[in-house]
Amino acid sequence: MGSRADFHTHSTFSDGVLTPTELIELAYRRGVRVMALTDHDTTDGLPEAFAAAARHPDFTLIPGIEMSTDVPGSEVHILGHFIDWHEEGFQRRLVHLRDSRLGRARKMVEKLAALGKPVAWERVESFSGEGAIGRPHIARALVEAGHVATVNEAFDLYLSRNGPAYVERERLTPVEVVEMLTAVGGLPTLAHPRELNDLKNLLAQMKAAGMVGMEVYYQDYLPDQVEHLRALAERFGLIPMGGSDYHGLGGPQQREPGDIPLPDEPVERLLALARERGALQGV
Ligand code: AMP
Ligand code: ZN
Ligand code: FE
Ligand code: FE
């Protein structure tokens, strides 16, 4: 089942395997007409993405980003849509976050060597290319070196939050990031909330800070989970959003772009809000 919109995708500018152009062509072929590129901690894929989107007059690209934040014991990811990504202070903070990702990735590679599972730093770098480096790039190097069979196994055995090779990123709170995104005109949405503890408390805090949506239609979320999250979103005045979180890495959870049961109504609500705030020109 396909939706005409997908608010959560990754390209080679972070840990996805398709270039922004390839991603947009794939999404377009699948019937997606409204798509956000939401690479981790970077907007550097957006110039290419806008050039690719311009080839399809009936396709709307939303400038986006995904940022990772921390709460005690777990990670909270936040999407920002319609960000004014040219803003200099915002870009300086992103550069700083990407630099800290690099130091952290080197530490994880050192830990793997100490665990007897060495991977060459050059291979990790070549998987990340020019993009924001992250654990999936290290996972791919582990697969290539023959230490594990799949990217998922690399996470299960070494790279998950409780794994022996895990190193924390620079810590940001959800409220800090909601404010950072709002300051550049972004509409913040809580990503993949299913496994989060104390969700109601988190939603209350994030809503008060300016959050507008929560991902409800996502990958393998089952109909009763979707319904539960949808009701929660309504209760907190949040738009029930959806995205595939497509990375192109395969695996059991992967969904193709647009392969989520996101109805048109929340899409229209988000676009209307963006128009109201002057973030959406010509649509
Ligand atoms: P990082 O930003 O470096 O902490 O990496 C986070 C990314 O790793 C997420 O956006 C997912 O794409 C991926 N990831 C996290 N956990 C897993 C897992 N268990 N299996 C596969 N990929 C995962
Ligand atoms: Zn990712
Ligand atoms: Fe995420
Ligand atoms: Fe994501």
Side-chain angles (χ1 to χ4, degrees):
M1 144 124 205
S3 165
R4 69 178 191 93
D6 191 332
F7 289 98
H8 189 168
T9 65
H10 295 274
S11 78
T12 46
F13 282 83
S14 62
D15 52 4
V17 303
L18 299 187
T19 64
T21 305
E22 292 165 340
L23 176 66
I24 285 169
E25 290 306 317
L26 172 62
Y28 191 83
R29 280 200 303 280
R30 293 187 48 82
V32 173
R33 294 295 179 267
V34 177
M35 191 194 96
L37 179 65
T38 54
D39 276 313
H40 299 279
D41 295 346
T42 186
T43 60
D44 290 354
L46 288 175
E48 182 187 326
F50 274 107
R55 292 203 282 269
H56 301 290
D58 58 343
F59 184 91
T60 301
L61 179 75
I62 296 169
I65 194 164
E66 180 174 19
M67 299 190 65
S68 309
T69 70
D70 301 87
V71 291
S74 67
E75 254 175 55
V76 173
H77 290 187
I78 303 171
L79 301 167
H81 297 114
F82 301 102
I83 46 175
D84 176 9
W85 49 291
H86 297 290
E87 214 274 320
E88 277 176 32
F90 182 67
Q91 288 298 337
R92 270 197 302 277
R93 290 188 76 175
L94 295 182
V95 168
H96 173 77
L97 287 171
R98 293 200 295 276
D99 285 349
S100 80
R101 276 179 169 277
L102 200 59
R104 172 227 192 196
R106 283 186 179 282
K107 282 186 203 154
M108 288 194 276
V109 166
E110 282 166 21
K111 279 190 159 189
L112 285 167
L115 290 161
K117 307 290 169 192
V119 294
W121 176 251
E122 292 67 37
R123 297 306 303 144
V124 178
E125 264 187 328
S126 87
F127 285 124
S128 82
E130 296 300 300
I133 198 164
R135 284 178 286 163
H137 303 121
I138 301 175
R140 286 165 72 188
L142 278 165
V143 173
E144 187 185 65
H147 298 309
V148 291
T150 63
V151 163
N152 278 323
E153 193 181 322
F155 274 89
D156 288 347
L157 295 180
Y158 304 109
L159 298 172
S160 68
R161 207 178 170 85
N162 302 314
Y166 181 75
V167 176
E168 281 198 354
R169 277 173 299 92
E170 171 149 327
R171 296 181 72 87
L172 289 169
T173 68
V175 165
E176 273 174 329
V177 166
V178 167
E179 288 172 353
M180 179 177 165
L181 293 169
T182 305
V184 291
L187 299 181
T189 282
L190 175 61
H192 41 73
R194 186 176 61 186
E195 270 79 29
L196 295 174
N197 295 322
D198 207 5
L199 184 55
K200 287 173 193 153
N201 185 24
L202 188 66
L203 289 178
Q205 280 182 41
M206 292 174 78
K207 168 78 185 178
M211 188 165 74
V212 308
M214 172 166 79
E215 252 181 349
V216 164
Y217 307 93
Y218 180 81
Q219 292 190 347
D220 59 345
Y221 285 16
L222 298 169
D224 61 327
Q225 294 169 332
V226 166
E227 184 42 40
H228 170 75
L229 289 170
R230 203 193 54 73
L232 205 56
E234 293 298 344
R235 198 173 124 194
F236 282 88
L238 297 167
I239 302 173
M241 300 277 292
S244 63
D245 203 1
Y246 179 80
H247 283 74
L249 281 166
Q253 255 103 50
Q254 179 172 296
R255 293 295 181 275
E256 298 296 305
D259 189 12
I260 34 153
L262 171 64
D264 280 347
E265 192 263 344
V267 178
E268 290 308 322
R269 269 170 82 187
L270 190 82
L271 295 184
L273 191 55
R275 265 182 221 112
E276 211 174 279
R277 298 201 185 173
L280 190 62
Q281 278 99 36
V283 177

